[in-house]
Amino acid sequence: MKALVLALLPALALAAPPPAKRISSLVVPMDPASESASVKMEGYMNDALGNFASFTVRKPEELFGMPEDTAAKASLDKARKGLSESVAAFDKKEYEEAEKKIRATLKALESAAGAMRGCSPLCESLALYGALLHLRGDVEEAKLALMDLIALNPTFELNPKRFGRDYLALRVQVATGRTSQLRGGATVKSRPAGARVFLDGELVGHTPATLSTLPIGKHLLRLERPGFRQHGQLLEVTPDDVEVSADLVPTPEYKAYDVQLDRVAGEVIRGASKASGVTAMGQSLNLERAMVGTLKALEDGSELSLSYYDIQSGKRIGGRRVVLQGDEFGQLKNELERMVNQLVNTGGEKVSKSSDPLDNRGGTEDWSAEDRGGKTKAAEKKKKDDDPLNEVSGTEDW
């Protein structure tokens, strides 16, 4: 038996699949108008590459990092401790001490937005602050705190064991009042553009983003872009539209990548069979294959020049240049998936799955030069059977 196993080992080794190649998609924007679209395209193409069993996709956040704001994290830890102490003082009915501590907690939370993924502990802090204001008779200020709470999370429930019925009733009054129905808008920008925009923990788009019909009050804004430190802040929405702009801080890995882009973009645009700049960049990112493109804005769309490279040899396996008409109807993801499939299949890889029913089909495969409708080939393929009316419409003798 042992001899049989030893004899089969070489065959098993030959049958084992080769290790998956490390690959990523990288799109170089050639002008400021292309910055936002380039990030979305990288995401769509990496999703398409994930359909290949022979690849291990390394996403931009793995390549360049996307660190948290350490100062925001420290403020969040301080605020959580402050909230705990405030609640303890409130439950002991030490209201002056509780108010003092909750004010300090809210101050810390103003600089903690970059580390927050939801409204906690901000929502709990606002609820407690409003209750303290209500207890000392400052009803209008308590209403403002409740408006901020409802703007952040309309379904946040107050603890009936901690707060009195009068305060619970005030929350209902604020939620159903005319002021809470007011809406405002915000324009969110970043340098560079293309950052993911999270509002109150939900992804709502990429910068530059225009957000409309937002409840007035405080909102939690967070920006994420691979290769840059995360940015967050509290956004105050009013009936008048507001604008927010953030300068994102690059990571050392992204800085090292950025200085190589001019050379890489030139090689992609020229479509040279050998690309030493792409090879150097890919090796610095620990990649074995790369889908590298340049994106240029046009009057009626954008031009994408895309090439598929073997990093070790620097060989350009394939390439395409297309004009894209935007993503108004969500068609961009499917267009890029078809491009990626065609380029990778040129290199002999096998796609393991695809969500696109038209994958690798242009829709004109059955058209001939003589018959643009495909009827000739369709007739040739039609099977013969015993039906006497086969290929007979019934009107031949009319």
Side-chain angles (χ1 to χ4, degrees):
M1 185 67 181
K2 185 176 180 181
L4 179 60
V5 171
L6 291 173
L8 288 175
L9 280 177
L12 292 172
L14 289 173
K21 301 181 183 72
R22 296 181 299 276
I23 191 170
S24 189
S25 295
L26 301 164
V27 179
V28 183
M30 304 305 290
D31 47 69
S34 302
E35 284 181 339
S36 182
S38 67
V39 177
K40 291 175 66 175
M41 290 183 184
E42 286 178 348
Y44 290 154
M45 290 192 287
N46 279 326
D47 288 344
L49 289 170
N51 293 327
F52 290 85
S54 55
F55 290 148
T56 296
V57 179
R58 299 200 65 203
K59 296 185 177 180
E61 45 264 53
E62 298 175 58
L63 299 175
F64 311 120
M66 194 170 62
E68 284 188 345
D69 186 335
T70 53
K73 182 69 167 57
S75 295
L76 180 59
D77 292 340
K78 180 180 178 181
R80 283 175 174 152
K81 181 181 178 182
L83 174 61
S84 178
E85 293 173 350
S86 302
V87 169
F90 183 87
D91 290 343
K92 293 177 183 177
K93 297 185 179 180
E94 299 172 357
Y95 298 135
E96 288 188 13
E97 182 68 14
E99 184 174 344
K100 177 182 175 182
K101 290 184 178 295
I102 202 63
R103 284 180 180 274
T105 297
L106 289 170
K107 185 70 175 176
L109 285 169
E110 289 179 4
S111 55
M116 295 174 65
R117 296 296 178 269
C119 81
S120 180
L122 180 57
C123 285
E124 291 86 350
S125 299
L126 286 168
L128 186 63
Y129 182 54
L132 289 163
L133 293 171
H134 184 257
L135 282 171
R136 66 177 170 85
D138 200 340
V139 177
E140 294 304 314
E141 287 296 318
K143 286 182 178 180
L144 292 176
L146 286 170
M147 281 189 62
D148 286 337
L149 173 62
I150 293 168
L152 278 164
N153 186 352
T155 61
F156 185 86
E157 294 186 7
L158 300 177
N159 185 352
K161 294 182 180 180
R162 174 166 291 137
F163 304 120
R165 282 183 294 179
D166 289 346
Y167 184 55
L168 297 177
L170 183 65
R171 193 258 188 217
V172 174
Q173 179 186 335
V174 171
T176 56
R178 181 179 300 177
T179 306
S180 66
Q181 308 307 314
L182 295 175
R183 295 293 183 265
T187 301
V188 183
K189 301 178 180 180
S190 69
R191 285 183 294 270
R196 293 189 287 261
V197 180
F198 293 86
L199 189 74
D200 301 331
E202 298 291 329
L203 178 64
V204 293
H206 293 74
T207 56
T210 300
L211 312 178
S212 57
T213 64
L214 300 177
I216 63 170
K218 285 185 172 60
H219 291 272
L220 189 63
L221 177 68
R222 193 174 83 255
L223 304 181
E224 291 183 357
R225 195 183 196 276
F228 295 83
R229 191 174 67 199
Q230 297 177 37
H231 172 86
Q233 66 183 83
L234 287 180
L235 176 65
E236 187 76 37
V237 175
T238 67
D240 298 322
D241 291 348
V242 296
E243 182 174 307
V244 176
S245 184
D247 290 318
L248 304 181
V249 180
T251 63
E253 294 86 353
Y254 188 86
K255 288 180 180 178
Y257 163 73
D258 188 58
V259 297
Q260 304 177 69
L261 292 186
D262 287 344
R263 181 182 176 189
V264 168
E267 292 177 345
V268 173
I269 292 170
R270 290 193 300 272
S273 59
K274 289 277 189 175
S276 57
V278 173
T279 296
M281 180 196 69
Q283 289 176 344
S284 69
L285 298 175
N286 196 26
L287 298 175
E288 295 171 282
R289 294 284 176 93
M291 197 74 67
V292 186
T294 60
L295 187 67
K296 181 173 67 174
L298 305 175
E299 288 186 6
D300 56 348
S302 55
E303 181 185 75
L304 174 66
S305 298
L306 188 63
S307 293
Y308 176 42
Y309 294 98
D310 176 75
I311 296 301
Q312 185 175 3
S313 64
K315 178 184 176 184
R316 180 177 183 264
I317 300 172
R320 288 196 62 189
R321 182 172 297 181
V322 296
V323 174
L324 302 167
Q325 302 298 325
D327 196 24
E328 184 179 359
F329 304 104
Q331 74 276 16
L332 182 60
K333 183 171 184 176
N334 285 342
E335 289 181 40
L336 292 174
E337 183 176 353
R338 282 196 290 273
M339 284 183 65
V340 168
N341 288 347
Q342 289 165 2
L343 289 175
V344 175
N345 287 334
T346 302
E349 307 293 342
K350 296 293 184 183
V351 67
S352 58
K353 58 184 177 178
S354 175
S355 59
D356 185 1
L358 295 179
D359 181 31
N360 294 328
R361 292 182 62 84
T364 60
E365 287 79 0
D366 294 332
W367 290 15
S368 68
E370 294 80 17
D371 179 11
R372 292 298 179 189
K375 296 179 181 177
T376 303
K377 289 191 176 182
E380 291 174 358
K381 293 178 181 177
K382 195 164 187 180
K383 295 181 179 179
K384 298 294 183 180
D385 54 32
D386 297 327
D387 185 357
L389 293 180
N390 185 27
E391 300 183 8
V392 177
S393 68
T395 60
E396 285 79 6
D397 295 329
W398 287 14

